[in-house]
């Protein structure tokens, strides 16, 4: 079959791999976490397969709990992501470069300047995943005892985004004149102060550099709470989400598109990309065996710590063989807490079973099978109004990313669902997103 609509693909690069036990697998090299070359290898694998982007998550603090417990596994947010993107920009040519930066803990002028610089250094390949942070451990690195209230964080984030996009627009596209004879570097009529004065931020501007190559870096959003969805519908261009079922993914997709329409936007300008963890091998049996080999390496203490973090509640004293407990609402991870509650109820899982579900992909969809099996699942979601594309989450890096690019990508191309090569140079080109004009809402 062929299709005019093309699937979007991101490679979510995460530590030594997304499975909690990836670092303990015989093929994993734990020291790779501390070296740039393995990350570059994965980014180049994705670029050779014409992925839209590589994606890096982040938080700004070690999780809560004792250092003894934390020492049972690697710290996946080892690298500061803006620094990492700058290094990757010099060693790659076409692939998009997306990373997470919290709107809660970096002043908006800093973020606007850093991403403008990265967009220029990379030739227009950057994207910013806007998060508000979700833990007290992060807040305590910035002079707070507890994180800000959920509603307050998102109200701040909406204004923060307004400031950042405004700063990117303080220079017109043709402001630089570079006229030696006249002694004029830029046209002062095409540069303006921002003079933002809002409830949370006062920022004069303008930026110190010209407008980003893309006009604005691509705005990515990953929150699935009601506040997160509202922000995504109003502002995001790519939405990264965790969904377990086709029906759930369809409902989320329809909700975000409807919110975009209500905000006066074209729903095609908001791309929904669920995460998918692919265990792929030449046969379904081999893929399932690989999945089980990692599940068998899981440390229960570490697994329970992960689920506690994802639900915002200490589960260390809970009955592992009892039902998923009723949890109090939290100020962080609301969307993920609700997802796990729904999975436990729909599938009748006790806490231990849910914990083993969480260790593989932290609530994202897991699919194990042949190239055809994996492509079937992706095609079904893509064509059934559940996804515009996917963020691939390799269980072990780089091996499972290599297997995906070698086995699944050719199958998607055979079905006419994914491009053979890049058509443009910028991340907006890859994603089919228009370049915003100065002052665009």
């Amino acid at each position: 079959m062929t299709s005019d609509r093309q699937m979007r693909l991101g490679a979510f690069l995460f530590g030594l791999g997304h499975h909690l036990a990836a670092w303990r697998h015989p093929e994993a090299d734990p020291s790779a976490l501390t070296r740039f070359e393995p990350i570059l290898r994965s980014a180049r694998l994705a670029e050779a397969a014409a992925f839209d982007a590589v994606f890096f998550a982040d938080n700004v603090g070690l999780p809560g709990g004792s250092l003894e417990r934390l020492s049972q596994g690697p710290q996946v947010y080892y690298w500061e992501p803006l620094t990492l993107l700058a290094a990757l920009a010099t060693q790659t040519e076409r692939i998009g470069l997306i990373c997470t930066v919290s709107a809660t803990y970096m002043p908006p002028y800093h973020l606007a300047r850093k991403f403008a610089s990265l967009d220029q250094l990379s030739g227009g390949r950057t994207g910013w995943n806007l998060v508000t942070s979700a833990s007290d451990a992060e807040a305590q690195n910035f002079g707070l005892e507890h994180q800000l209230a959920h509603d307050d964080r998102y109200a701040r984030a909406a204004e923060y985004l307004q400031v950042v996009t405004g700063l990117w627009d303080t220079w017109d596209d043709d402001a630089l004149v570079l006229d030696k004879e006249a002694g004029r570097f830029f046209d002062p009529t095409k540069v303006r102060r921002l003079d933002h004065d809002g409830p949370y931020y006062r920022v004069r501007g303008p930026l110190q550099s010209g407008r980003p190559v893309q006009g604005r870096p691509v705005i990515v959003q990953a929150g699935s709470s009601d506040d997160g969805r509202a922000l995504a519908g109003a502002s995001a261009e790519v939405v990264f989400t965790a969904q377990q079922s086709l029906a759930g993914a369809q409902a989320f997709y329809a909700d975000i598109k409807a919110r975009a329409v209500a905000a006066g936007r074209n729903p095609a300008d908001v791309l929904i990309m669920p995460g998918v963890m692919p265990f792929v091998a030449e046969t379904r049996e081999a893929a399932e065996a690989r999945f089980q080999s990692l599940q068998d390496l899981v440390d229960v203490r570490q697994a329970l710590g992960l689920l506690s973090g994802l639900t915002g509640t200490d589960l260390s004293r809970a009955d592992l063989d009892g039902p998923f407990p009723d949890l109090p609402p939290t100020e962080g991870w609301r969307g993920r807490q609700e997802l796990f509650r729904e999975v436990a109820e729909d599938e009748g899982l006790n806490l231990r079973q849910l914990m083993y579900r969480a260790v593989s992909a932290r609530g994202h969809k897991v699919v194990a099978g042949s190239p055809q099996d994996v492509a079937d699942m992706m095609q079904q979601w893509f064509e059934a109004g559940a996804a515009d594309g996917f963020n691939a989450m390799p269980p072990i890096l780089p091996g499972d990313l290599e297997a995906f690019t070698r086995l699944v990508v050719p199958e998607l191309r055979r079905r006419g669902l994914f491009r053979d090569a890049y058509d443009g140079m910028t991340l907006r080109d890859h994603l089919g997103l228009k370049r915003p004009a100065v002052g665009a809402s």
Side-chain angles (χ1 to χ4, degrees):
M1 65 149 288
T2 60
S3 173
D4 292 334
R5 178 168 169 254
Q6 292 286 288
M7 188 180 290
R8 310 302 175 188
L9 285 180
F12 185 175
L13 306 184
F14 187 78
L16 298 166
H18 281 272
H19 196 285
L20 185 67
W23 75 286
R24 302 182 68 189
H25 195 273
E27 76 180 47
D29 174 10
S31 73
L33 184 67
T34 68
R35 295 184 283 114
F36 176 63
E37 291 79 9
I39 299 173
L40 177 58
R41 177 183 173 189
S42 290
R44 285 177 168 168
L45 274 171
E47 184 171 59
F51 274 57
D52 294 284
V54 288
F55 174 90
F56 296 91
D58 190 41
N59 65 27
V60 285
L62 284 175
S66 71
L67 291 176
E68 173 62 29
R69 184 181 68 77
L70 294 176
S71 72
Q72 295 160 9
Q75 303 312 310
V76 293
Y77 303 114
Y78 187 87
W79 297 89
E80 192 286 308
L82 287 165
T83 308
L84 187 58
L85 290 198
L88 288 172
T90 69
Q91 300 295 315
T92 56
E93 296 179 356
R94 304 289 284 277
I95 195 163
L97 306 167
I98 301 173
C99 77
T100 296
V101 180
S102 174
T104 303
Y105 299 119
M106 181 181 287
Y109 186 90
H110 274 339
L111 182 134
R113 186 185 184 204
K114 290 173 187 292
F115 269 103
S117 297
L118 277 170
D119 206 58
Q120 292 166 358
L121 288 169
S122 66
R125 295 188 282 132
T126 59
W128 166 39
N129 181 40
L130 188 169
V131 301
T132 65
S133 297
S135 71
D136 289 344
E138 294 171 275
Q140 289 159 10
N141 287 334
F142 295 89
L144 302 173
E145 186 60 30
H146 299 287
Q147 62 183 314
L148 300 176
H150 187 275
D151 294 348
D152 188 29
R153 293 202 316 273
Y154 274 94
R156 286 173 175 268
E159 184 181 338
Y160 186 106
L161 182 59
Q162 180 184 355
V163 173
V164 169
T165 56
L167 285 167
W168 288 330
D169 286 354
T170 53
W171 290 69
D172 286 350
D173 290 320
D174 57 351
L176 295 177
V177 294
L178 313 179
D179 189 335
K180 293 183 181 181
E181 295 299 322
R184 175 153 290 178
F185 199 84
F186 65 87
D187 183 342
T189 69
K190 297 184 177 182
V191 180
R192 65 203 63 83
R193 285 168 50 160
L194 180 64
D195 288 328
H196 177 90
D197 189 355
Y200 300 107
Y201 301 103
R202 295 182 63 191
V203 181
R204 188 193 73 169
L207 277 186
Q208 296 156 261
S209 58
R211 198 160 186 248
V213 174
Q214 298 182 99
R216 300 171 187 172
V218 173
I219 303 298
V220 184
Q221 207 274 334
S224 292
S225 67
D226 190 64
D227 287 332
R229 294 182 188 214
L231 183 62
S235 308
E237 296 169 291
V238 174
V239 179
F240 181 37
T241 179
Q243 300 294 330
Q244 282 286 309
S245 69
L246 174 62
Q250 288 171 318
F252 180 88
Y253 185 97
D255 181 58
I256 297 297
K257 299 284 186 173
R259 290 174 188 261
V261 171
R265 304 177 66 199
N266 184 339
D269 293 337
V270 187
L271 303 175
I272 313 301
M273 297 179 63
V276 60
M277 175 179 277
F279 288 86
V280 60
E282 282 77 3
T283 67
R284 185 178 303 171
E285 293 74 20
E288 291 173 347
R290 184 170 181 81
F291 170 75
Q292 192 58 49
S293 72
L294 278 165
Q295 293 290 94
D296 291 343
L297 294 172
V298 170
D299 183 298
V300 173
R301 298 166 300 171
Q302 192 184 9
L304 193 57
L306 173 68
L307 188 58
S308 295
L310 290 173
T311 58
T313 305
D314 182 5
L315 299 171
S316 61
R317 299 181 183 277
D319 178 8
L320 289 184
D321 296 311
F324 187 62
D326 290 330
L327 300 180
T330 66
E331 294 297 342
W333 292 101
R334 287 187 181 178
R336 200 60 57 90
Q337 185 187 87
E338 179 63 15
L339 181 146
F340 284 124
R341 183 193 64 78
E342 290 178 355
V343 170
E345 289 181 356
D346 292 346
E347 301 183 28
L349 303 181
N350 63 27
L351 184 58
R352 186 186 304 274
Q353 292 167 324
L354 190 68
M355 179 183 70
Y356 276 97
R357 175 74 66 85
V359 298
S360 54
R362 305 179 307 284
H364 292 275
K365 178 70 173 177
V366 176
V367 55
S370 68
Q372 293 75 25
D373 292 330
V374 176
D376 284 347
M377 173 263 151
M378 296 172 70
Q379 181 174 357
Q380 182 187 31
W381 283 37
F382 180 66
E383 293 179 345
D388 294 306
F390 299 89
N391 257 342
M393 302 169 55
I396 304 174
L397 286 166
D400 287 309
L401 178 59
E402 187 279 330
F404 185 87
T405 61
R406 177 172 51 85
L407 298 172
V408 179
V409 170
E411 180 64 19
L412 294 173
R413 287 174 175 154
R414 187 186 67 78
R415 302 179 188 201
L417 295 171
F418 188 63
R419 60 170 167 255
D420 293 322
Y422 293 112
D423 297 318
M425 297 299 296
T426 72
L427 179 55
R428 289 185 177 277
D429 291 336
H430 305 339
L431 294 172
L433 296 171
K434 64 180 182 291
R435 187 180 187 275
V438 170
S441 61

